[in-house]
Amino acid sequence: MHDQNTKYLLGIDGGGTKCKAIITNMRGVILGTGISGPANPLRGLTLSQNSILAATQQALLDASLAPEEITKLVAGIGLAGINMPHLMQQLKRWKHPFKQAWFTTDMHIACLGAHQGQDGAIIISGTGSSAIAVVEGKQHLLGGHGFLLGDQGSGAWLGLAAIRVVLKSMDGLAPETCLTQLVKTKLATDDLLLVLDKVSQAEPAFFADFAPLVFQAADSGDHVALNLVHNAADYIQTLTEQLLSFQPPGISLIGGLAKPLSPWLSSKCQSQLSQPVSPPEIGAILFAQQQLTAENTK
Amino acid sequence: MHDQNTKYLLGIDGGGTKCKAIITNMRGVILGTGISGPANPLRGLTLSQNSILAATQQALLDASLAPEEITKLVAGIGLAGINMPHLMQQLKRWKHPFKQAWFTTDMHIACLGAHQGQDGAIIISGTGSSAIAVVEGKQHLLGGHGFLLGDQGSGAWLGLAAIRVVLKSMDGLAPETCLTQLVKTKLATDDLLLVLDKVSQAEPAFFADFAPLVFQAADSGDHVALNLVHNAADYIQTLTEQLLSFQPPGISLIGGLAKPLSPWLSSKCQSQLSQPVSPPEIGAILFAQQQLTAENTK
């Protein structure tokens, strides 16, 4: 039987497509994990809260803990978008079932995970792109803003650029190249109206699915694809330079595009980057531990 | 008193922000004009039909004709988006009050207006951008596709690009320039979150409002603005070259950006362009006359 005073740590990484939960004991030993649907509060606070609870219940089950033990969890919760003050205010009013809960951005917990709770910086290039430096208690967020206004060098940005090139080529305004062929094969049509029908209302994740084709075409020497990949690499290099101005002890490049983009970065930039130590959900555990420690030393 | 058999011509130019109507006698002499709200059927067929009827009633009033005389109007109607087969089918089923009505694209009537009903081609650069060549009864549409996927060289495209540059500069990822200063002054804030709040859900027309600042900055030698304006001019030149492949007797550049863009085009491209003769609503009258003639010679 568990002691009445037993507590556990819960780490939550709530993103736009999925929510990951991890439960550890107070020393950080992993007991169980869970996963559920989208948890980005920009898409609705209730959806976000439900996804957090669903992933947590899975993690409790995986850890052989009863559902009621949710009240013993000390939670560190990282969510996209809660650097917006009104979302943070709403979340702080949530009557959550946890023993305690602290909230921060998904970028913050990813950075804590990458640098094992120490100061550092990360660049994420996945469906979107953004960066953060965490130095001496201060967070410096850079980039992001969605693929219409920003997110340069991300999967959605590369895929969207590739589809724009294909539409131009279908109008006879750009040459057919290896890239346009690859994209049209994946779209499974070369009828302009059908292509427009597929892409007009598409989500970022739809476009990000085309990013691997840009790298494939660049590898075979396609000039349009090379231009896009160089542009993406330039942006990652600019982010790296700007992060260095905050003097973080280390910078990691993470996300789905980290691996394909790395070879295209300058050797100087590659030497400025280090491998991340742990994933974001572990960063959320570290965040909870830091908050507990801060509270106990008040 | 009007003869029972009297007929009039109605020309409709239905765009995304406004709908223009013009009524002429059967010889094309203008009797009255009207104007109403958005008529792009992509935003709803009922809205489009209501705008057409509202502009028509205004034109009847302006022509000193009774509202009931709507049944004597032979209408040529140009609408955005009805190159999409399903929209054209829905419009053809409309139980409209006119004596007769023919539908075509807004691009087609603009081209007929610019070339006085003869073969020719036009490039529109306004909020969006697109082009059409009308040669020997065939229409060749190029470009368009909205500012996320295309519309290069348009006002919305230039304005969006300017705002992307401003967001990068606010993140320290691009230098402050004349352009970023002009845009921030118009935005009336240099708080990143407030800017994002203003632009995240904005419509193309919002972005197009910033296009004049790009030309202003380019005139003063701003390198980022010069790059954008040159890119826009390149695209207009590419459209011109592609239109020439259809061998139209003439090509006109029309829309709100025609005037500011012209000086940036190569002298070769400028020499390939001619001034438009009449506006799109007159093109719609010419379209109705052509359809009547075709019907009478069947």
Side-chain angles (χ1 to χ4, degrees):
Chain A
M1 280 257 292
H2 289 294
D3 180 336
Q4 282 283 58
N5 294 318
T6 305
K7 291 187 293 191
Y8 303 95
L9 294 171
L10 169 69
I12 294 283
D13 174 28
T17 52
K18 57 180 184 288
C19 181
K20 286 186 176 180
I22 192 164
I23 293 174
T24 73
N25 65 19
M26 295 307 284
R27 283 168 293 116
V29 177
I30 297 171
L31 303 176
T33 62
I35 194 160
S36 67
N40 186 333
L42 286 170
R43 299 194 178 187
L45 206 61
T46 307
L47 175 79
S48 176
Q49 292 165 347
N50 288 343
S51 291
I52 292 168
L53 295 176
T56 302
Q57 288 300 347
Q58 269 196 26
L60 284 167
L61 190 67
D62 189 41
S64 303
L65 293 169
E68 310 83 64
E69 309 255 24
I70 197 167
T71 58
K72 294 182 177 172
L73 300 178
V74 174
I77 300 175
L79 295 173
I82 63 165
N83 48 322
M84 303 231 173
H86 72 280
L87 282 178
M88 183 60 107
Q89 288 309 316
Q90 288 177 319
L91 268 167
K92 282 188 171 168
R93 287 196 294 269
W94 181 21
K95 296 197 193 319
H96 61 73
F98 309 117
K99 185 172 184 69
Q100 278 174 291
W102 289 281
F103 300 94
T104 190
T105 62
D106 56 342
M107 294 297 292
H108 185 199
I109 60 162
C111 192
L112 291 174
H115 301 287
Q116 207 60 13
Q118 305 300 308
D119 279 1
I122 53 163
I123 298 167
I124 297 188
S125 177
T127 302
S129 71
S130 50
I132 189 175
V134 179
V135 180
E136 291 175 3
K138 277 198 176 167
Q139 298 178 32
H140 308 272
L141 277 160
L142 302 176
H145 316 319
F147 78 141
L148 177 64
L149 298 165
D151 278 15
Q152 215 175 319
S154 71
W157 180 88
L158 276 174
L160 174 64
I163 285 175
R164 289 180 67 119
V165 171
V166 166
L167 290 173
K168 278 182 81 172
S169 78
M170 293 175 97
D171 277 329
L173 303 171
E176 288 276 352
T177 69
C178 164
L179 177 63
T180 61
Q181 290 300 335
L182 286 169
V183 171
K184 283 198 284 190
T185 303
K186 186 170 165 74
L187 284 168
T189 174
D190 54 7
D191 180 305
L192 182 60
L193 291 179
L194 288 178
V195 172
L196 286 172
D197 202 46
K198 281 193 183 194
V199 305
S200 296
Q201 305 295 326
E203 296 283 321
F206 173 90
F207 292 105
D209 259 358
F210 289 82
L213 303 182
V214 182
F215 288 102
Q216 190 183 332
D219 281 334
S220 72
D222 183 296
H223 285 286
V224 177
L226 280 168
N227 194 27
L228 292 175
V229 170
H230 284 306
N231 192 322
D234 280 348
Y235 183 70
I236 302 300
Q237 285 161 201
T238 305
L239 279 175
T240 305
E241 291 297 328
Q242 184 64 6
L243 288 173
L244 283 170
S245 71
F246 302 110
Q247 302 189 290
I251 304 177
S252 297
L253 176 61
I254 65 176
L257 258 64
K259 203 176 160 196
L261 263 177
S262 290
W264 298 93
L265 300 172
S266 68
S267 52
K268 181 184 166 202
C269 184
Q270 290 189 35
S271 72
Q272 289 162 336
L273 300 174
S274 55
Q275 288 298 315
V277 179
S278 301
E281 58 272 26
I282 296 292
I285 295 283
L286 295 166
F287 173 65
Q289 285 178 322
Q290 288 179 353
Q291 296 299 312
L292 266 183
T293 306
E295 201 178 59
N296 293 336
T297 54
K298 258 180 198 165
Chain B
M1 279 254 296
H2 290 297
D3 181 334
Q4 282 285 55
N5 294 318
T6 305
K7 290 187 294 191
Y8 303 96
L9 294 171
L10 169 69
I12 295 282
D13 174 29
T17 52
K18 58 182 182 285
C19 180
K20 286 184 175 181
I22 191 163
I23 294 176
T24 72
N25 66 19
M26 296 310 284
R27 286 169 289 115
V29 178
I30 298 172
L31 304 176
T33 62
I35 194 160
S36 66
N40 185 334
L42 286 169
R43 297 191 179 189
L45 206 60
T46 307
L47 175 78
S48 176
Q49 292 164 348
N50 288 343
S51 291
I52 292 168
L53 295 176
T56 302
Q57 288 301 347
Q58 269 197 25
L60 283 166
L61 189 67
D62 189 40
S64 301
L65 293 169
E68 309 83 67
E69 310 254 26
I70 197 167
T71 57
K72 295 182 178 172
L73 301 177
V74 175
I77 298 176
L79 295 173
I82 65 166
N83 50 323
M84 303 229 173
H86 73 280
L87 282 179
M88 184 60 109
Q89 288 309 315
Q90 288 176 321
L91 268 167
K92 283 187 172 168
R93 286 197 295 269
W94 181 21
K95 296 196 197 317
H96 60 74
F98 309 116
K99 184 171 184 70
Q100 277 175 293
W102 289 282
F103 300 93
T104 190
T105 62
D106 55 342
M107 295 296 292
H108 185 200
I109 60 161
C111 192
L112 291 174
H115 302 287
Q116 207 58 11
Q118 306 300 307
D119 279 2
I122 53 162
I123 299 168
I124 296 188
S125 177
T127 302
S129 72
S130 50
I132 189 174
V134 179
V135 180
E136 291 174 4
K138 275 197 177 168
Q139 297 176 33
H140 308 272
L141 277 160
L142 302 176
H145 317 321
F147 78 139
L148 178 64
L149 298 165
D151 279 13
Q152 215 174 318
S154 70
W157 180 87
L158 277 175
L160 174 64
I163 285 175
R164 291 178 65 116
V165 171
V166 166
L167 290 173
K168 279 181 81 173
S169 78
M170 294 176 96
D171 277 331
L173 303 170
E176 288 276 351
T177 70
C178 163
L179 177 64
T180 60
Q181 290 300 337
L182 286 170
V183 172
K184 282 197 285 189
T185 303
K186 188 172 164 70
L187 285 167
T189 174
D190 55 3
D191 180 307
L192 182 61
L193 292 179
L194 288 178
V195 172
L196 287 172
D197 202 45
K198 282 192 182 195
V199 304
S200 296
Q201 305 293 325
E203 297 284 320
F206 172 90
F207 292 105
D209 259 358
F210 289 83
L213 303 182
V214 182
F215 288 102
Q216 190 182 333
D219 282 332
S220 71
D222 183 297
H223 285 286
V224 177
L226 280 168
N227 193 29
L228 291 174
V229 171
H230 284 307
N231 192 322
D234 281 350
Y235 183 71
I236 301 300
Q237 285 162 199
T238 305
L239 278 175
T240 305
E241 291 297 329
Q242 183 65 7
L243 288 173
L244 283 171
S245 71
F246 302 112
Q247 302 187 290
I251 305 178
S252 297
L253 176 61
I254 66 176
L257 258 64
K259 202 177 158 194
L261 263 176
S262 291
W264 299 93
L265 300 173
S266 68
S267 51
K268 182 184 167 201
C269 184
Q270 290 188 36
S271 73
Q272 289 162 337
L273 300 174
S274 55
Q275 288 298 316
V277 179
S278 302
E281 57 273 27
I282 296 292
I285 294 284
L286 295 166
F287 173 65
Q289 284 179 322
Q290 288 179 355
Q291 297 298 312
L292 267 182
T293 307
E295 201 178 59
N296 292 337
T297 55
K298 256 182 199 162

